Amino acid sequence: TLLATAGGSSFALTSGTLSSGVLCTMEVDVVATAIGSLTNVIPAGAFTNAQARSNANPASASLLSSGNADVSVSKSDGVTSVVAGSSSIYVITITNGSSVLSVAGLPVVDDEPDDVDFTAWTCTASPGSSCQNASGSGSINSTVTLAPLGTATFSVTALVDAASERTSIDNLVHVDPAATGVFDPVSGNNSATDTNNITTSADVRVSKTASLINPPVGSTVFFTITVTNDGPSMARGVSASDTLFLVYTLVDTVLST
């Protein structure tokens, strides 16, 4: 007996008898309520019989459901400039504009620009929606599933290389509704770019110590001069000078890093 109810979410076969070597085929007609790549899985152990046998392996079938939905993406870190060697946090929001259909397996791609390191990112979704990966680092190449009017939000911590000599950085994110069978009537909002000017700031400080506080006349005194860059950016073209008192005669200098 095949038990199935129209509008339900499952079906069952009970009290079946299957002779050895005989193939039994069940046809199940469904209506997709989501757009994208949809996979139905029968888990291992779902089929049993009186001899205590069951299917050892799962079985699955996939289909690509198509439909119309305006999928949009936005991206901003809330600033217009970033200092080399420091981080900003980008917020990426992906929205399903359809009030009827879900969008399943929507690809999201955000590559690290040159001189930028995505040190960490997270993904959270509204109720009924989901993220393929809840967290990660580096470039984003993931998928999200969006319920009707659902959203998924990535929070990306981006570190600009302290040695960067770029004057600006464009950071682009792109979603691909067509890859999930979605016809998007407003494709212009499938990408978003945030641009930041890159500035530099380096806190350079100097200290000096002497090997002898009260040196006898004619003795050698070693002065240690330390130049430190507390960042956050690389300091270029740094120069230092030290004029000795007339009572001192320079013997030697040693430079180390």
Side-chain angles (χ1 to χ4, degrees), residues 201-213:
S201 176
D203 180 11
V204 179
R205 56 186 171 88
V206 62
S207 63
K208 182 177 182 179
T209 59
S211 61
L212 295 174
I213 302 301

Side-chain angles (χ1 to χ4, degrees), residues 13-26 47-51:
L13 175 68
T14 62
S15 303
T17 299
L18 190 64
S19 300
S20 175
V22 174
L23 178 68
C24 176
T25 300
M26 293 179 288
F47 283 88
T48 60
N49 61 20
Q51 289 77 36

Side-chain angles (χ1 to χ4, degrees), residues 198-251:
I198 304 303
T199 61
T200 58
S201 176
D203 180 11
V204 179
R205 56 186 171 88
V206 62
S207 63
K208 182 177 182 179
T209 59
S211 61
L212 295 174
I213 302 301
N214 299 301
V217 174
S219 63
T220 300
V221 179
F222 298 97
F223 288 105
T224 301
I225 301 170
T226 304
V227 181
T228 304
N229 176 18
D230 289 326
S233 306
M234 176 180 287
R236 293 182 170 87
V238 177
S239 60
S241 63
D242 188 8
T243 302
L244 299 175
F245 289 122
L246 294 178
V247 295
Y248 290 115
T249 300
L250 180 64
V251 177

Side-chain angles (χ1 to χ4, degrees), residues 63-152:
L63 58 86
L64 185 63
S65 173
S66 61
N68 295 355
D70 177 18
V71 178
S72 62
V73 61
S74 64
K75 180 175 189 176
S76 176
D77 62 354
V79 298
T80 57
S81 65
V82 178
V83 178
S86 63
S87 298
S88 65
I89 298 177
Y90 291 95
V91 176
I92 301 169
T93 303
I94 304 155
T95 303
N96 175 16
S98 173
S99 61
V100 179
L101 296 176
S102 299
V103 177
L106 176 70
V108 181
V109 177
D110 189 345
D111 292 323
E112 293 174 322
D114 293 339
D115 291 355
V116 175
D117 179 20
F118 291 168
T119 56
W121 54 261
T122 61
C123 181
T124 57
S126 61
S129 302
S130 62
C131 303
Q132 178 189 29
N133 303 108
S135 62
S137 61
S139 296
I140 298 173
N141 189 352
S142 188
T143 65
V144 297
T145 293
L146 303 176
L149 302 179
T151 61

